[in-house]
Amino acid sequence: MNLRTIIRSSYILKSIFVISVFILIFISGVSYKHSTALSESPELLNKSYNIQIQLEKLLSNVKDAETGQRGFIITGDSAFLHPYYSAHASVQRSFIVLKHLTADHQKQQANLDSLVHLINLRFNYLDISLKTASVLPVNKDQLEKNMYRGENIMNKIRFQIDIMNELETGYFKDHQEKYSHELYFTPIITFIILFFSLVIFIVSFIKINNDLFVLKKSNEELLIKTESIKHAEVIGEFCITLWDMDSNSISYSDNLYRLLGCEPQSFEPTIENFLQFVHPDDRNIVKTGAEKAIQESKTYARFYRIIRKDGELRYFRSIGKFISDDNNKSKTHIGIIKDITQMHLINIKLEEKNRELEQSISELESFNRVASHDLQEPLRKIQTFISRISEKESLTMSEAGMEYFEKILTSVNQMRTLIDDLLLFSRTYKAEKVFETTDLNLLLENALQELSQEIEEKNAAFTTVQLPVINVIPFQILQLFTNLISNSLKYCKPGIAPVIRIDCEIVMPNGYPALEMNNQTRYYKISITDNGLGFEQKYAESIFLLFHRLHNKTEYPGSGIGLSICKKIVENHNGFITAEGKPDIGSVFTFFLPE
Amino acid sequence: MQNEPVRVLLADDDEDDRLFFKEAFDEIKIKTSVNLVNNGVELMKYLTQKSTQLPHILFLDLNMPLKSGMDCLLEIKNIEHLKNIPVAIYSTSASEEDIEETFVQGANIYIKKPSDFRTLRKVLEEVITINWQYHTSGLIRENFLLSI
């Protein structure tokens, strides 16, 4: 598992946390609601009870007033009137209390209002009866009439109070039902929420635990990697520098100090301090390199010398890269500084060897050229003198003398061919390789033109196919055609006219090991087939070697260089040449040229 | 020009070659006056003398001590009154580089010294009978190397 998964899982944890907070807030809301409902219930009961008591009290007060009035009417003793008078005040007090208690019930308030009205009416009749009774003689009819009316109203009051009591009981019952209903659901909801929270907590716990495990593992891996980088730095003689472009702070790995011959972290990591170790002549390279890197946001490889603390001269190479975070905001430069002293010294040696080699090659070449050139000069003169003598002195010379002269001429001619071919061979080696897009048909035509005399002499027949136009060194391919065809002409069977066929096809490098090494996709396979002497297949390789000959010099004069030149020419073109032969049947020379 | 002999000048350091050259012209039917100089330094000295009657054609060996034929060619082509003399390069080798370079520097023809006296005579005869005025104007690279 990697850090990215952990980062993703931290998002999951965050969302779980937010969800949990919401669920907890919801739980608290529900609980609060339920607890308020619970605390309201007894209060409500208390209130209903109070209302009923006050109503009873009211009724008894009215009854008290009635009893007092009756006592007075019967006895005429005004002491009976005490409760009658105090009843008034009591009734008023009860009213106020009831008004307050029934404030949240409109219906009950209306009932209370009609009760007040009835009670006031009752008191009114009581007053009238009392007045009637206190005026002597007592008007009995009127008194009785009033008393009946009073009694009637009293019944109404009782009825009204009963209504109010019932209503109150009803209210209380409703409330009680609703409350018990709620109480029934509360534990279920709480349990569900609890269960849900538990699930979330367990999931979160497992997740966190997993992440912790992964983190621990990543940490261990990181530790191993850091350690291996440190070792790699020591083994590979390099070090890593980090340059935070925002804060312009630099940190050098321990190995840099070691490479400089110092104790790790023994000086403050700054460019100035590092420059102290750079060879004075090279300080500018490092300094301008750093400036250029900042300007162009790109680092180039730099080479410079370092003088270590112990005074030893070392060669360093540094290269780096700017990296920035995803938002492209903060930029850091990672640099690699490598001690390349060993490699550099080897390189210097190699360069020296290379120079020596180049020099010896060019010396050899000029030797070859001069030798061939200077050898030709006396030979040419010998030839000219021979031609001069045989022209002027032929009549005075003996026959044997003439024969010896012929032999001298043959040897000299052979020598010249040899030198000419050697010169040609050295030239194919040196070869200014100027490739030109050339029509091979024209080159073949030119080659046949060059050999026209021999072709005519031997009465040779040719069949050719259309050849391609490709990028070649023209004079070398001309030489190649000339050499191969002249070979076919030379090694023909005595008395049989040479028949030479030139073929061409496109082939893939598969199946030709010599071609597979090059990164070329297609090749032209050009072959020259003859009906000449041929050769044993075992010589197929060796005939391309320098000075290698299969035939006697006197029978078939030649230098043994021609096919070596052919091989070199084809190699110059990144191609490849092979030969196939059957004695007395003929030979096939095939060469491949890249398309 | 009919009565006047063709003035031929050869610069060659090789004594034998000078001999062949002289003998070849002696055997040619055309009337010639052959002058020989031994090297490049002598050649330039001869050409820049006021009293010298300039040759109709100059044969120039390339490989000479002190001053090579190539150096002479460069000098001659830079001297106003000499640059119109037809120059025939007369050398043992016929390497591509030499042919290319002398052609570019304004030589008129390139002769590879033949190894046969009869051929030498034929070549030299052909070269001095070329109408140079005509030949110079239409100088073509393909015809530069004389082939017999």
Side-chain angles (χ1 to χ4, degrees), chain A residues 5 52 90 120 160 192 257 259 303 364 382 397 422 486 529 555 567:
Chain A
T5 356
Q52 278 170 349
S90 297
N120 279 340
Q160 184 70 14
I192 289 170
Y257 296 88
L259 291 180
F303 300 92
L364 208 64
I382 293 168
M397 226 192 293
L422 260 182
S486 109
T529 313
E555 273 177 276
K567 186 166 183 258

Side-chain angles (χ1 to χ4, degrees), chain A residues 242-262:
Chain A
L242 290 174
W243 184 7
D244 188 330
M245 303 307 284
D246 297 333
S247 60
N248 198 24
S249 62
I250 298 175
S251 73
Y252 291 148
S253 67
D254 289 354
N255 207 40
L256 176 71
Y257 296 88
R258 287 190 204 108
L259 291 180
L260 296 176
C262 304

Side-chain angles (χ1 to χ4, degrees), chain A residues 385-551:
Chain A
F385 277 121
I386 289 169
S387 72
R388 201 89 181 94
I389 292 169
S390 53
E391 201 179 314
K392 272 189 166 175
E393 321 287 335
S394 58
L395 295 174
T396 56
M397 226 192 293
S398 72
E399 211 161 287
M402 283 300 280
E403 206 177 295
Y404 294 149
F405 243 87
E406 278 302 312
K407 284 197 188 298
I408 295 173
L409 191 62
T410 314
S411 292
V412 172
N413 283 344
Q414 228 168 56
M415 185 88 174
R416 276 218 70 172
T417 323
L418 194 65
I419 291 169
D420 275 342
D421 284 356
L422 260 182
L423 201 65
L424 199 65
F425 184 70
S426 80
R427 218 174 279 156
T428 22
Y429 254 98
K430 198 185 157 210
E432 288 159 51
K433 288 169 185 166
V434 186
F435 281 79
E436 281 170 43
T437 309
T438 317
D439 186 351
L440 293 193
N441 296 297
L442 282 180
L443 292 181
L444 177 63
E445 210 176 284
N446 286 349
L448 293 178
Q449 190 69 40
E450 259 180 48
L451 298 165
S452 58
Q453 203 185 332
E454 274 179 77
I455 292 170
E456 215 172 298
E457 273 170 22
K458 305 232 163 162
N459 202 16
F462 284 87
T463 44
T464 58
V465 292
Q466 188 68 26
L467 297 178
V469 176
I470 46 174
N471 214 22
V472 293
I473 308 165
F475 80 90
Q476 289 199 354
I477 298 295
L478 173 67
Q479 187 73 51
L480 178 66
F481 277 131
T482 312
N483 282 10
L484 290 178
I485 292 168
S486 109
N487 244 20
S488 288
L489 290 171
K490 187 154 74 176
Y491 299 108
C492 66
K493 276 180 279 192
I496 295 173
V499 177
I500 298 168
R501 197 176 75 238
I502 293 150
D503 291 306
C504 174
E505 59 176 315
I506 287 182
V507 293
M508 303 291 163
N510 318 16
Y512 301 99
L515 299 181
E516 276 169 356
M517 288 191 295
N518 300 336
N519 289 327
Q520 188 69 33
T521 46
R522 300 207 297 179
Y523 285 84
Y524 283 105
K525 176 188 175 189
I526 298 171
S527 56
I528 294 169
T529 313
D530 65 45
N531 60 342
L533 292 172
F535 53 87
E536 294 277 357
Q537 188 58 32
K538 62 181 171 185
Y539 299 120
E541 299 262 336
S542 57
I543 51 172
F544 290 106
L545 297 177
L546 200 56
F547 302 124
H548 196 95
R549 296 173 51 87
L550 295 180
H551 299 274

Side-chain angles (χ1 to χ4, degrees), chain A residues 377-389, chain B residues 10 12 14-28 34 36 90 113-118 120-121 124:
Chain A
E377 196 113 340
L379 274 177
R380 182 179 48 80
K381 274 194 252 169
I382 293 168
Q383 282 176 312
T384 317
F385 277 121
I386 289 169
S387 72
R388 201 89 181 94
I389 292 169
Chain B
L10 169 72
D12 196 329
D14 192 297
E15 200 190 332
D16 295 333
D17 275 329
R18 289 200 302 269
L19 178 71
F20 292 144
F21 192 83
K22 184 105 175 86
E23 283 183 357
F25 272 114
D26 286 345
E27 289 178 18
I28 293 171
V34 178
L36 304 167
Y90 184 63
K113 287 177 186 170
S115 52
D116 176 83
F117 190 76
R118 217 174 299 152
L120 173 66
R121 217 162 44 203
L124 293 181

Side-chain angles (χ1 to χ4, degrees), chain A residues 361-377 419-420 422-428 430-432, chain B residues 62-63 91-99 101 110:
Chain A
I361 286 174
S362 90
E363 270 168 12
L364 208 64
E365 259 166 17
S366 63
F367 170 80
N368 198 350
R369 251 175 73 77
V370 167
S372 316
H373 184 271
D374 292 357
L375 275 173
Q376 270 191 337
E377 196 113 340
I419 291 169
D420 275 342
L422 260 182
L423 201 65
L424 199 65
F425 184 70
S426 80
R427 218 174 279 156
T428 22
K430 198 185 157 210
E432 288 159 51
Chain B
L62 286 182
N63 206 0
S91 173
T92 311
S93 86
S95 76
E96 275 298 316
E97 295 103 309
D98 285 346
I99 293 172
E101 213 176 336
Y110 197 107

